Amino acid sequence: MKVAIIGSGNVGSAVAEAAKQAGHEITVASPQPERREGLGDKLGVGTTSSNVDAVEGADLVVLAVPFGSFNDVVRDIAGKVGGKIVVDATNPIREDYSGLATEGSSGAELLQQQLPDARVVKAFNSVFASNQAGPVVDGVQLDGFVAGDDAEAKKQVLDLLRDIGYRPIDAGPLSAARYLEGMAFLNISLNAANGWPWQTGWKLVGPGPSSSPA
């Protein structure tokens, strides 16, 4: 699968590495030439300075930018993602980290409103960048939670997470992204408040989804 990743920060770079290792064709869009050069040399992925160029040939687009850049990127790609799967990996956290910037909604739902012709799916947001390329903590396979309204798009994202090494979990409709973003904020808050090393991740235990990555 051809995957475009918009953003070359910690999350975007880690998802690029993970998806590349899983055998997918990756292009990363970044305005920073040093990041593009570094990713190209280190991971062997394609890079471009143009968000539009990245998404035009992609089967799936991952939005991995700070929420403050969200609207600018959306305006950039709006005319190029009709029918495409757009994975929202962002978290709409307020600048002062006092909570989520969305009220009664989620960043993913806002994204779907702005990209009505795209198939928006929420994924990757509840896992720290440090665990994205190898989603195992203390020998435990992390869960990859996915929310979306388009069943086929969601299946493809669940398969991608399985390829990478997660135990994929269908969290329900796109509105469930509100809770996934809350989970991410809680994990961030706990690590910041307690000085933890940003390695914690979410795992459902007990009867439920198979623990097998296959």
Side-chain angles (χ1 to χ4, degrees), residues 103-181:
E103 294 289 345
S105 186
S106 67
E109 291 169 282
L110 296 177
L111 181 63
Q112 183 66 86
Q113 291 172 15
Q114 294 182 61
L115 300 176
D117 296 326
R119 298 184 288 165
V120 173
V121 176
K122 190 76 180 186
F124 293 114
N125 75 296
S126 61
V127 179
F128 288 142
S130 56
N131 296 326
Q132 292 282 7
V136 176
V137 176
D138 293 338
V140 177
Q141 180 188 33
L142 293 181
D143 292 336
F145 296 94
V146 178
D149 291 333
D150 185 298
E152 177 56 30
K154 188 159 55 171
K155 181 183 182 300
Q156 290 193 48
V157 178
L158 288 163
D159 288 345
L160 173 61
L161 265 66
R162 183 180 291 109
D163 290 346
I164 289 172
Y166 290 94
R167 180 179 70 163
I169 293 181
D170 185 342
L174 194 63
S175 59
R178 304 172 192 184
Y179 311 116
L180 301 186
E181 292 171 0

Side-chain angles (χ1 to χ4, degrees), residues 4-72:
I5 298 172
I6 300 179
S8 61
N10 292 337
V11 172
S13 299
V15 173
E17 180 179 357
K20 174 70 174 179
Q21 289 176 347
H24 299 282
E25 183 180 337
I26 310 301
T27 300
V28 179
S30 171
Q32 300 170 289
E34 67 278 6
R35 297 304 299 264
R36 296 197 302 272
E37 183 177 348
L39 286 171
D41 291 345
K42 178 184 176 183
L43 304 180
V45 300
T47 63
T48 177
S49 61
S50 169
N51 295 331
V52 172
D53 288 349
V55 305
E56 278 188 323
D59 304 306
L60 182 148
V61 178
V62 179
L63 188 62
V65 297
F67 191 68
S69 304
F70 187 92
N71 289 328
D72 289 340

